[in-house]
Every structure is written in C-alpha cells, then in structure tokens.
Amino acid sequence: MTVSPPPVPPGKSPFHVRGSTYLGVRSYIDEQIPGGLPAVLAHVPDEAVRAFASQVFLPVAMYDVLPLRSITEATALAEGMSYEESVRGRARIVAQRDIRGLYKLFFKAVSPATAAERLQRASLRYFDFGELEILEKGAKRTLLVQKGMPRFLLPWYLPMIEGYTAVVLSIAGARNPTTRVEPPRRDGEREGLETVSLRIELAWS
C-alpha cells in the first residue's frame, strides 16, 4: 500500500469534517503508534499533507476531509496493518468511547433500528456534505442511501462505518450486526471532484 495524495491541495476541497475527527486520529496515533505523529508522517511523501496533519485542530472547526485518507493510510503503514483493518479497528475504539460519553443518552434504551437511523443522522453532523435517505426501517434491517459522498474518501468511509456501526448496534441489543454496501453510483461532482451515492444495508439478528 502507498499513501494516496488528495486530488487537490490540502485545504482546497469543498468537503469538510469537524476537527474532532482529526483529533481522534491524532490521539490514537499518540497513544498507539511508537514514535507518534513523526513516525506516521514518515510514510507521507507529500509535504503539504505533512504540514496539514501537523497543524493544531480545533474540535468544532471545519477542515478539508480529503487528507484524512492520506493520513490514515500512513497510520496503517506505521501499524503494519491492512488499511481496512486499521480503519475498522480504530472506528470500534471511537464508537466505544462515544457511547460512554458524547452519545451516552442519544443511544440509550433504543431499538437497533432506531440506533441505526440515529447513527447515520449523527454522522452527517460531522460533515458539511452528504444527504441521507432512509428507504426501509424494519425490526432486523435498515436500508438507506447516503448521497453526495466524495469518491476519493470511500476507502476510509466504508470500513469506518462498518466498525462504528457494529459497536452501536451491539450495544442497542443487536446480534451479529452486518453492514453491506452496494457498489457506489456516481451522482455528480463538486468543483470537479466526483461524488457518489451509497446504498447501505444494516442488518442484525
């Protein structure tokens, strides 16, 4: 695996995420990666991405989301793990932390179906892009469409939601939760960057 440079210079894309997401990755790097951030950035050839990753992030401020893929790819290299495994495992850690703190009441005493819907709507609060449509909400399955996602971000986004969702649904009482995503479909572009729609099935027993 090599680190993928963002399709536009860091800070220049129209897609943004709250700084808390970057802070979570930085906290993980500081706690889990020998050598911390410098060891991760040693895998990043793009000087602009290294500078972006080294800045001070504010939790509620909005930052270009596309460098997140580059930084987390470098994190996986520093860990010696596959990218999907690295992202999925970190998402589980974040979900467990959020359930104990930030979302303790948000997901308290709700059914898996309600938890699934709330989870997807909550995720949109972190981004300034994307739309959510719930197609089906049943006792054992929720089917939804996430629109307007930058294609470049998908390698990070898909294992992230898989890892995070599994924890949330399990805490809500679901057994054997699974996440299935159909191949993305192009739905447009923003400032020359392709966006896609994702049809996502969350199921459990």
Side-chain angles (χ1 to χ4, degrees):
M1 180 180 68
T2 59
V3 173
S4 307
V8 295
K12 300 298 184 180
S13 94
F15 306 103
H16 303 92
V17 66
R18 291 194 185 278
S20 57
T21 298
Y22 280 108
L23 287 172
V25 174
R26 285 274 293 270
S27 176
Y28 178 88
I29 290 171
D30 291 342
E31 295 172 3
Q32 303 294 331
I33 306 296
L37 186 62
V40 169
L41 296 185
H43 294 279
V44 179
D46 191 317
E47 182 178 350
V49 173
R50 293 197 300 270
F52 181 91
S54 300
Q55 70 180 297
V56 175
F57 292 99
L58 303 177
V60 298
M62 303 300 285
Y63 299 88
D64 185 354
V65 71
L66 299 189
L68 186 61
R69 174 178 167 183
S70 308
I71 296 166
T72 51
E73 285 177 341
T75 302
L77 287 171
E79 291 179 295
M81 300 171 64
S82 73
Y83 185 55
E84 292 79 9
E85 182 183 3
S86 174
V87 173
R88 194 179 298 115
R90 191 164 50 252
R92 292 191 188 103
I93 292 172
V94 172
Q96 291 164 354
R97 181 199 65 197
D98 288 350
I99 291 297
R100 292 193 300 267
L102 181 64
Y103 291 132
K104 185 175 182 179
L105 297 179
F106 195 64
F107 293 112
K108 185 177 181 181
V110 298
S111 68
T114 299
E117 180 178 357
R118 288 186 179 183
L119 171 63
Q120 297 304 314
R121 295 195 185 283
S123 71
L124 292 180
R125 298 179 183 178
Y126 286 89
F127 306 111
D128 67 353
F129 58 90
E131 300 176 16
L132 177 69
E133 180 183 358
I134 304 294
L135 301 180
E136 180 183 327
K137 180 180 175 182
K140 301 294 183 181
R141 185 178 86 141
T142 292
L143 186 63
L144 54 93
V145 174
Q146 196 107 18
K147 304 176 182 178
M149 301 297 296
R151 182 178 286 277
F152 178 80
L153 198 62
L154 295 188
W156 170 80
Y157 186 75
L158 298 181
M160 183 277 294
I161 62 170
E162 182 181 353
Y164 199 104
T165 300
V167 172
V168 172
L169 292 180
S170 295
I171 290 175
R175 292 184 296 173
N176 305 314
T178 61
T179 300
R180 187 176 68 87
V181 183
E182 294 183 5
R185 296 183 179 182
R186 178 185 172 92
D187 64 10
E189 63 177 46
R190 288 180 60 183
E191 298 183 16
L193 298 173
E194 183 182 5
T195 61
V196 298
S197 293
L198 300 171
R199 188 179 175 99
I200 304 171
E201 181 192 59
L202 306 178
W204 54 92
S205 58

Coordinates of all heavy atoms in Angstrom, one line a residue, residues 71 87 92 136:
I71 N -3.7 10.5 5.6 CA -3.1 10.4 7.0 C -3.4 9.0 7.6 O -2.6 8.4 8.2 CB -3.7 11.5 7.9 CG1 -3.2 12.9 7.4 CG2 -3.3 11.3 9.3 CD1 -4.0 14.1 8.0
V87 N -8.6 1.0 9.9 CA -9.7 2.0 10.0 C -10.8 1.4 10.8 O -11.4 2.0 11.7 CB -10.2 2.4 8.6 CG1 -11.5 3.2 8.7 CG2 -9.1 3.2 7.9
R92 N -14.0 1.2 15.9 CA -14.6 0.5 17.0 C -14.2 1.2 18.3 O -15.0 1.3 19.3 CB -14.2 -1.0 17.0 CG -14.7 -1.8 15.9 CD -14.5 -3.3 16.2 NE -14.8 -4.1 15.0 CZ -13.9 -4.6 14.2 NH1 -12.6 -4.4 14.4 NH2 -14.3 -5.4 13.2
E136 N -35.9 2.0 4.1 CA -36.6 1.0 4.8 C -36.1 0.9 6.3 O -34.9 0.9 6.5 CB -36.4 -0.4 4.1 CG -37.1 -1.6 4.8 CD -36.8 -2.9 4.1 OE1 -36.6 -2.8 2.8 OE2 -36.7 -3.9 4.8

